[in-house]
Amino acid sequence: MFGIEPDRPNRKAHENIFVSPVRYGAPAGRDLQRPAIESAARIIAETAEHKATAMQDINRGMPFFREMADRLLAAELILHGLTVKGLDWSPENEVRLFILGQRASLASCVSTRSRSTETVPFIKSDMRLHEPGSITEILVGPAAPRDAEDFACSLLAPFHSDPRSIVHRSTASIAGL
């Protein structure tokens, strides 16, 4: 999923995106990671068994292990690390939007916004949010200001007939998270 196609001039940030569901809890994380780890272990064991002499040569063995780490394990484990959250957050039933690309080709698309005392970078994505029914829920975080729902509703009002029906505050506890 993290394979990046060759760079194209004038690529727009939204042209290389995907959405993934979030999984909750350590067991879900282990279930997601297990196949990649088992596959890598199987490939390494088979290679060591059939190509033991070649693997003893550091100039051949180390590139093999680097390739395994970079291509097979890293891509899978990074994705899973970004899509697994603590079990306390499971009532949110979230999805994550990913925009993929080379840093240099996306640099001109990066904007910033303020969050408290931080400056947060982000990339605007061309999502069809103005189409009726395209937003099904907005979940306000448990630590958001008291008027966050009102603010979200004011932003949605021009695009939704009843914004209060889709804006909800998270029931997840922020204590200990």
Side-chain angles (χ1 to χ4, degrees):
M1 292 185 109
F2 276 106
I4 297 176
E5 45 184 287
D7 199 17
R8 295 186 319 256
N10 303 318
R11 176 195 307 247
K12 295 186 181 189
H14 70 279
E15 291 181 339
N16 200 14
I17 66 172
F18 75 93
V19 176
S20 176
V22 173
R23 307 277 177 95
Y24 301 93
R30 282 191 297 273
D31 289 346
L32 285 172
Q33 293 174 347
R34 183 176 289 116
I37 294 169
E38 287 175 351
S39 178
R42 186 173 42 260
I43 292 168
I44 290 168
E46 290 171 3
T47 302
E49 179 182 337
H50 299 292
K51 302 287 185 183
T53 304
M55 294 305 289
Q56 289 176 1
D57 178 356
I58 195 167
N59 294 318
R60 293 171 88 187
M62 289 308 292
F64 167 78
F65 286 111
R66 171 57 42 210
E67 191 77 12
M68 289 292 297
D70 288 349
R71 292 195 182 253
L72 181 60
L73 286 172
E76 289 284 325
L77 301 183
I78 289 170
L79 173 63
H80 300 153
L82 295 171
T83 60
V84 175
K85 288 179 75 172
L87 200 53
D88 290 345
W89 296 99
S90 63
E92 295 188 353
N93 197 26
E94 301 166 85
V95 294
R96 296 262 166 100
L97 171 75
F98 294 90
I99 300 174
L100 304 176
Q102 300 289 329
R103 180 184 296 253
S105 65
L106 294 175
S108 64
C109 302
V110 176
S111 299
T112 59
R113 65 180 176 84
S114 296
R115 177 175 48 197
S116 190
T117 59
E118 295 180 85
T119 299
V120 180
F122 70 97
I123 296 175
K124 294 177 184 175
S125 177
D126 187 17
M127 297 174 66
R128 291 179 170 80
L129 299 178
H130 296 182
E131 294 176 11
S134 61
I135 300 175
T136 59
E137 181 179 31
I138 292 182
L139 192 61
V140 176
R146 283 190 303 247
D147 64 346
E149 290 92 336
D150 293 336
F151 178 69
C153 288
S154 71
L155 294 175
L156 286 173
F159 311 108
H160 197 282
S161 60
D162 183 15
R164 293 233 176 256
S165 68
I166 62 170
V167 176
H168 309 283
R169 183 162 297 255
S170 171
T171 59
S173 168
I174 60 172
L177 296 177

